[in-house]
Amino acid sequence: LAHALDAGGLRQLDRPLELLDCGCGSAYLTLAAHHYLNEVLGIPARLIGVDVNEEVIRKSVAKAGKLGARVNFA
């Protein structure tokens, strides 16, 4: 992820970085990316996780809430 940020010049945006995770499943990588970008690298980032499985989305929303991660799921 750090390599892609550097290659795309995404570390110095004048706005929060926005990432869409299509097929996010259980959202472990979505939540990890949110933490890494916002907390470790200090890059303001908004993430959206999308999946067709409504039960998985409900569980992902609950996980994000327990972690205090501001990630949107649909």
Side-chain angles (χ1 to χ4, degrees), residues 5-61:
L5 292 170
D6 292 336
L10 300 174
R11 289 185 189 251
Q12 295 83 21
L13 293 177
D14 293 333
R15 60 174 176 76
L17 178 64
E18 297 176 283
L19 295 176
L20 174 64
D21 183 357
C22 295
C24 66
S26 298
Y28 291 108
L29 293 177
T30 310
L31 294 168
H34 179 272
H35 174 76
Y36 181 66
L37 291 167
N38 286 282
E39 306 300 327
V40 176
L41 297 181
I43 297 173
R46 292 186 287 210
L47 279 78
I48 300 170
V50 178
D51 201 282
V52 297
N53 185 325
E54 292 179 21
E55 181 63 24
V56 169
I57 291 298
R58 279 193 289 278
K59 289 179 181 180
S60 297
V61 168

